[in-house]
Amino acid sequence: SQTIHQWPATLVQPVGSPLSLECTVEGTSNPNLYWYRQAAGRGLQLLFYSVGIGQISSEVPQNLSASRPQDRQFILSSKKLLLSDSGFYLCAWSVRGNQPQHFGDGTRLSIL
Amino acid sequence: GESVGLHLPTLSVQEGDNSIINCAYSNSASDYFIWYKQESGKGPQFIIDIRSNMDKRQGQRVTVLLNKTVKHLSLQIAATQPGDSAVYFCAENGYGNKLVFGAGTILRVKS
């Protein structure tokens, strides 16, 4: 069966520090991969999605970037974190676009 | 239903009653819809989906109804249990590879 792993579960970072969140999927090949951010009491905002290695689509202009160095690995990065980058970050995968997306358990990021 | 601002709508039901959670979607071209359940501190969990060529789909204790005329989606949970307490999101896929999520509804089950 397929599984998705995100780490770390929680992270506290100072303003201006770099960020790297990692997501890996097991049990499937060539998945679509997604990064979302969820603010408290809100729905999910799509940040990036990828349909293949090295292919990244950005949905909103921001201080973050994403990379897909391997088929089942998706990384969310920032060179310098802002206070506004705080939130709950979720990674998801799907077989293709018109199929259910399956989510990891997220990373709660707090910026001080 | 959909929320405005930071205050999610809340549905409180008695254990054993049926729950109905509503969602209005925005894109008349959307052809695929999903309901998710999110418990505190966890990622959303897939519950059930429906495609636009259907108006009803049933799962275990859950039923999704789709009314394309008024762009309305509902999730019915039969015999609601305390473990059903969570935030429920609808999502529509009318945008290629992307899902657009509603703001969510809080379901509280009273024992």
Side-chain angles (χ1 to χ4, degrees), chain A residues 10-24:
Chain A
T10 59
L11 188 60
V12 181
Q13 291 285 100
V15 170
S17 64
L19 173 74
S20 181
L21 301 181
E22 190 161 344
C23 171
T24 59

Side-chain angles (χ1 to χ4, degrees), chain B residues 25-110:
Chain B
Y25 64 92
S26 58
N27 186 355
S28 57
S30 292
D31 58 1
Y32 179 59
F33 305 87
I34 308 177
W35 279 101
Y36 286 93
K37 172 187 179 184
Q38 187 175 26
E39 297 174 275
S40 181
K42 295 191 173 182
Q45 177 186 8
F46 170 82
I47 301 173
I48 192 168
D49 57 0
I50 188 168
R51 300 196 182 272
S52 58
N53 60 350
M54 303 173 70
D55 53 20
K56 179 179 179 179
R57 190 163 187 228
Q58 289 184 291
Q60 187 176 10
R61 275 202 313 120
V62 295
T63 300
V64 55
L65 299 177
L66 174 63
N67 185 330
K68 296 181 286 293
T69 303
V70 295
K71 293 190 287 186
H72 183 267
L73 195 64
S74 68
L75 177 71
Q76 300 178 2
I77 304 173
T80 313
Q81 302 168 359
D84 294 327
S85 294
V87 180
Y88 289 80
F89 294 96
C90 65
E92 60 180 306
N93 186 351
Y95 308 90
N97 286 305
K98 297 170 278 189
L99 288 178
V100 173
F101 285 79
T105 296
I106 298 170
L107 176 64
R108 291 205 175 107
V109 182
K110 299 175 285 187

Side-chain angles (χ1 to χ4, degrees), chain A residues 56-78:
Chain A
I56 308 294
S57 295
S58 174
E59 288 302 297
V60 293
Q62 61 204 313
N63 187 42
L64 300 168
S65 62
S67 61
R68 185 170 177 174
Q70 299 180 48
D71 181 43
R72 289 167 288 177
Q73 183 185 29
F74 207 22
I75 298 172
L76 184 69
S77 304
S78 174

Side-chain angles (χ1 to χ4, degrees), chain A residues 12-45:
Chain A
V12 181
Q13 291 285 100
V15 170
S17 64
L19 173 74
S20 181
L21 301 181
E22 190 161 344
C23 171
T24 59
V25 180
E26 296 175 358
T28 187
S29 296
N30 197 30
N32 286 358
L33 296 172
Y34 309 85
W35 277 112
Y36 289 87
R37 177 167 55 206
Q38 185 175 31
R42 298 272 198 174
L44 281 71
Q45 179 188 34

